[in-house]
Structure formats: structure tokens, C-alpha cells
Amino acid sequence: MSLVVAEAITKVFGARRRRRAVVDACTFRLEPGEIMGIVGPNGAGKTTLLRLVAGELPLTTGTLAVAGHRAGTRRARRAVGYAADPPIAPPELTGTEWLAYLASQRARSSGERARLVRSAVEVGETASFTARRIATYSRGMAQRLGLAAACVRNPAVLVLDEVLSGVDPLVHRRLRQQIASHARAGVGVLIASHDLAAIERLATRVVLLWDGRIVADVRAAALLAERVVELSLAGSALADAERFVARYPGATRTGQGVAVPLTGGLSAEAVLAACRDARLAVAASRVRYRALEDLLLAAARERGEPT
Amino acid sequence: MGAGPLAFRGEVVLGMLLVTRHRAVRLAGVLAVVVVGLALLAGDDGGAVARRQAVFAAGGSLAAVAASRLLAPGAALAAGRQTGGPWWRAPVGRLTGAWLVVAPPVAAAAVLLVGSVAGSWAAGRTAAVAALHVGAVGALVLAVAPLAGASAAAAVGLAVAWLGGVPPSVMGAALDAWPYLRRPVVLAWNTLPLDWRAGRWLRASTVEDLAVLAGWIALGCIVAAWAAARAYRRPDPPNGSEP
């Protein structure tokens, strides 16, 4: 059974002239054990989409079920662990008090509550600062507490908004491992981030949101299996780069030249041959795996956004 | 302890922590101590009635500021939603927590102030009524906070605590020149959990006064739960931030 089933969900803010669909007719499913990364530019609707799934906002239209229950209902909320950005926690409390409160809403005994808190402290790696007031936390500490708080009630679905931002690289790596281990245990994870490299490493599936719409929904493995040839063009050839990019679907400008995805049987040799035919002077070339950034840049180019 | 009682205790403890840790509540506590201290220093001037009014004003102020934190928009309100408990658990549990913090010192102040001029029986009765009054004012503020915000809710509670000693007949007479204003104000004065009603219950022990004060505790919790749900349905700003 899918953990999240979204059918044409729409969220509109404002009224009359200021009416604006922040999430627009999005349809997707999240399966157990799946980590769905949600990427997109600022204002794309990532946070709003997550808040809809978490039951923090009501839908305008569409249907959204979480663990078999309508989103926003008591049962659906109990199935979700939500880490908001910025994290929501009373600054007057200590991290331990906050986790103990959340655990008490799930536990059947004081012993189980203590166990849930210990487990959450491990997940968020908050042991070194959890006895301090939340008001004194740095951004990274608050994000880690947010992750711990999302996990403390053993939810079926984790909804994580920028939970990996602001943490140091070593903790970042261990938190990714913790999230992945939750997914291996059957938890469905929705994670939004601007950290494309982290999403590439973590997600099993990536959704690209743009103006509230899903413009790409790809398996991470399939995306990363694709290759891209990057060409650095000599100074005079840069002027013709735009024309060259237009010849290949998904091709984008880079700082020093162009990046062309090797899809549909296209080879790096064929691209280099096309450069020779077009009399473009190639200073250097390299073949690399396709990255999320290429997906994002291609989407931006299709919409005429500056890249 | 089962899951339900443990979850309820969690809300009670959260209520206590939200109240004891917030600086506004500590400031209100200082104000209440000053009021009680001034009433003590005034000696027997005004007798037990003036001292009771001081207790109700100080207790109501403290309860108003304390209860404004319990379901304030932000983490406190969101937590009640996210835990997915039954509708009554967060308001009732947190109000209980706040009451456990506020009622004992208010009752002690009542014993201290009234006991010396009216005897231990009157002091005990005043302490009991003050504890009930604190709960009723807290419930009123709790109901307002999710929709109006913590500051506005606290302001409503402070107005209730400080102006509530004026009886409805006096209020009505003062507003005789403004009949359109007089009617709703007198109606509010007769229905809200105000100090004059607590004082009248002490004097006359009417069931009506007890019912209004106790009824406000139940009504406040019900309205608070509704208001928390209403806050969820309210359109948020496009950036999705909490107000």
C-alpha cells in the first residue's frame, strides 16, 4: 500500500486578484522505503507541498491520503513525523523536554517514552546539546533536533524540510545514513532541499517542482546512470554556444561552455564531431554522470529563466 | 500508566513548562507580588473586600499571561496539531498544567491577605474561589490565543482581571449616555468570568455564580480546541510561515 497518495492536489493562497496556486495539480505516490527528494527553485511550492502532506495546511482541491487516511485528520497526523524549516519547537524548553513531550503522545509507558527519546537523540545526534534550552541552539542544532522530533514517534512517513541544511559535513553524512536506515525499515521519506548533492546521494526518486507543478519525476538511479559531455569552448566560440545548445534537447550553458546530455544514443564523439562541423573551438571536454543540477538547469532553460 | 494518561500528563507538563519558562509570566508574577504586597502594606483599610479584590486582580493577571502561552500561534499551537491527540487533550491538559502553577500561589496570597482580617474560614473560601477564578480567566484567554495571538489574548485577560471588579450595575450606569454600547458591555459583564462575580459568590454563595465560573472553564477549553482547528483552516501567507 502506498504511504502517500496525492491526486491532483492544489493549494491556493490569497483571494480574487491575489489568488495564486502555490501547489498546482500535483499527483504522486510515495511507497514504503522510498526516499523522495523534492527540488526546485525558491517559491516552487516545496514547503507548501510538504505542509500539505504533514497536515499543517488544508488542501484547496484534490485528494491526499497519508497511510490510508485523509491528510490533516488525526490518524494521518499520527502517521507523519514532520521536520519544518525553520524547525518548530518552543524556545523556552530544552531539547530533552520537547522530545519527551512528543514521545509521551505515542508511548504506552514511561519506559517506552524514555526509549523513544533515547532513540530520537541518537537519530538527530543531539546528545551533546539536548539538555540546553532550544533558544540557545544554532541553526544546525535546531535542524538536528527537528529531525529527532520528527522521528521520535516512529512515524510511517517522514516529511523533512531542509533538515540537512546548516549542519557540518560529518554530521550531514551521518544524518543521511540515519534517514536511509529509516527508509530501509519501511518508512517513506519526503525530503525537500536546495542541497542537490545531498538529494542525489540520499533520494531514490526525485521530483522537480516549478511554479507549484511537478515538471519532472525521475528515479535517481536512472537519472544518475545518464552521462553528460561537458565542453569548454575557446573564447571566440562562446558566442555561438547558445545556438549549439538549442540543437540538443536538455543541453545547457555552463560557465565556460556547454553541457550536453548523452541521451537517445548520442555519443560524446558525435557531439565533438558536431562541434568540428560547426567550427566551434573546443578547449577541453569531459564526460561525467548526469546530475540534478542538469535537470534543474534544463527546466530553467525551457522556461526562459536565467541560468 | 497507559497511553492516554501518559499523553495527558505530557500535555500537563508542557503547560507547566510553557508557563514557568516564559519571561512575560515571570513579569506578571512580579506584578502580582507587588499588588499583594501593597494590599498587605495598606493594613486593614477597606477590610476583607478590598483584599479579596486585590487577590482576584493579581490572580487574574497572572492567569491571563500564563494561559496566553499555552496555545500561542507557533510551536505551542503546532505541537497540539501534530501530535494528533483527541481535540480536548491539549487545551485541558495545558490549562491544568498552568493552573497547577498559578493557583497555589494565588490561594496562598488569599490566605495571607484575607486570613489576617476575616479569619481562617473566610480565607479558605477566598482561596478556593480565587483558584476557580484563575481557572476561568485562564480558560477565557486560552480560547482567544489561537486566533488572536498570545499578546492580544493576554490583553483581554488583563482587562478582565483589572476591570472585572466593577459590578454590571455600575458599568451600566457609567454607559447610560451610550445606549448602543451599554447593552453589549452589560451583557459581557454578566457572562464573562469577572472578579465581581467571584466576589458575589463569596458573599451570597449563589449557584449561578459558581455555574458561570465553572462553565467558563469547560467553555474555554471547547472554544480553544475549536479555535486551534480554525487556525489550521485559516489561509496562511504564501511563504507558509507561522504568524
Side-chain angles (χ1 to χ4, degrees):
Chain A
M1 185 188 80
S2 301
L3 288 172
V4 177
V5 181
E7 300 281 355
I9 60 171
T10 297
K11 178 66 188 176
V12 174
F13 287 115
R16 294 178 188 166
R17 284 182 192 173
R18 301 179 74 182
R19 198 173 160 83
R20 190 166 74 92
V22 177
V23 172
D24 193 1
C26 290
T27 297
F28 65 91
R29 281 169 182 263
L30 179 72
E31 305 298 332
E34 195 169 43
I35 302 176
M36 182 190 284
I38 300 173
V39 297
N42 289 327
K46 301 185 295 295
T47 294
T48 303
L49 181 65
L50 295 189
R51 294 185 79 198
L52 290 171
V53 175
E56 284 289 294
L57 283 176
L59 287 173
T60 304
T61 59
T63 59
L64 178 58
V66 178
H69 309 291
R70 191 163 56 86
T73 58
R74 265 184 62 202
R75 287 184 174 177
R77 282 184 192 148
R78 289 181 80 86
V80 173
Y82 176 46
D85 179 42
I88 299 171
E92 308 94 310
L93 270 57
T94 66
T96 310
E97 287 164 348
W98 179 235
L99 293 175
Y101 163 72
L102 294 171
S104 71
Q105 304 300 312
R106 166 87 187 197
R108 294 180 192 285
S109 65
S110 301
E112 187 185 357
R113 182 183 59 191
R115 201 165 54 250
L116 287 172
V117 171
R118 273 198 305 275
S119 165
V121 165
E122 275 177 31
V123 169
E125 299 207 6
T126 61
S128 59
F129 56 83
T130 198
R132 280 167 46 188
R133 294 265 178 103
I134 295 168
T136 67
Y137 288 6
S138 68
R139 177 173 165 80
M141 289 172 178
Q143 298 287 15
R144 285 154 69 180
L145 181 70
L147 177 62
C151 296
V152 73
R153 289 183 295 138
N154 285 339
V157 180
L158 274 175
V159 177
L160 309 175
D161 195 358
E162 290 290 353
V163 77
L164 294 172
S165 62
V167 296
D168 70 65
L170 292 175
V171 174
H172 191 285
R173 178 184 154 83
R174 292 198 295 269
L175 293 186
R176 287 201 317 267
Q177 289 167 348
Q178 292 282 6
I179 294 168
S181 77
H182 272 75
R184 281 195 296 276
V187 174
V189 180
L190 273 171
I191 179 167
S193 180
H194 289 296
D195 186 346
L196 299 181
I199 295 291
E200 279 170 2
R201 288 171 179 166
L202 190 60
T204 54
R205 184 176 153 204
V206 179
V207 162
L208 173 59
L209 269 184
W210 205 289
D211 288 337
R213 288 181 168 268
I214 294 177
V215 296
D217 184 348
V218 293
R219 294 267 152 211
L223 176 77
L224 299 176
E226 292 175 12
R227 303 288 199 276
V228 172
V229 60
E230 255 184 22
L231 307 175
S232 296
L233 301 177
S236 58
L238 275 171
D240 295 324
E242 210 51 62
R243 196 156 42 83
F244 190 75
V245 161
R247 289 171 59 176
Y248 297 100
T252 52
R253 282 289 307 270
T254 61
Q256 291 298 312
V258 295
V260 181
L262 300 176
T263 54
L266 186 67
S267 66
E269 290 75 19
V271 175
L272 288 168
C275 285
R276 279 195 300 274
D277 294 345
R279 298 181 184 283
L280 286 177
V282 176
S285 69
R286 71 177 181 126
V287 176
R288 61 166 171 80
Y289 289 106
R290 198 174 177 205
L292 271 177
E293 191 176 274
D294 299 307
L295 194 70
L296 198 66
L297 288 173
R301 210 176 129 246
E302 278 174 22
R303 282 155 189 79
E305 297 279 339
T307 56
Chain B
M1 191 178 275
L6 194 68
F8 183 75
R9 198 176 74 175
E11 294 290 357
V12 172
V13 172
L14 181 65
M16 295 172 86
L17 290 171
L18 289 172
V19 168
T20 52
R21 297 279 174 80
H22 203 275
R23 69 170 77 95
V25 185
R26 288 199 292 271
L27 280 171
V30 171
L31 176 70
V33 167
V34 169
V35 169
V36 171
L38 287 173
L40 269 175
L41 289 173
D44 290 349
D45 300 350
V49 174
R51 290 189 163 203
R52 276 182 199 141
Q53 281 185 347
V55 170
F56 292 139
S61 306
L62 192 53
V65 180
S68 69
R69 307 307 318 161
L70 301 176
L71 284 174
L77 185 58
R81 266 202 315 260
Q82 285 173 16
T83 51
W87 64 269
W88 56 269
R89 189 187 284 160
V92 175
R94 294 184 199 180
L95 185 63
T96 305
W99 187 83
L100 288 172
V101 172
V102 173
V106 171
V111 170
L112 192 67
L113 278 175
V114 179
S116 59
V117 294
S120 57
W121 170 245
R125 287 187 69 218
T126 306
V129 176
L132 183 66
H133 176 253
V134 157
V137 172
L140 170 68
V141 172
L142 184 74
V144 176
L147 293 181
S151 302
V156 168
L158 287 170
V160 162
W162 286 95
L163 300 176
V166 181
S169 54
V170 175
M171 190 56 86
L175 295 172
D176 268 344
W178 298 284
Y180 292 109
L181 191 61
R182 182 180 184 277
R183 199 181 169 86
V185 168
V186 171
L187 181 69
W189 238 247
N190 276 303
T191 48
L192 289 173
L194 301 179
D195 305 4
W196 71 264
R197 192 173 281 285
R200 193 174 77 171
W201 187 40
L202 275 172
R203 286 196 311 277
S205 298
T206 56
V207 177
E208 179 200 329
D209 295 325
L210 175 63
V212 168
L213 289 176
W216 260 105
I217 296 177
L219 183 66
C221 290
I222 292 167
V223 175
W226 172 84
R230 181 80 183 79
Y232 159 71
R233 287 193 294 272
R234 185 176 52 191
D236 281 21
N239 66 4
S241 62
E242 290 280 347

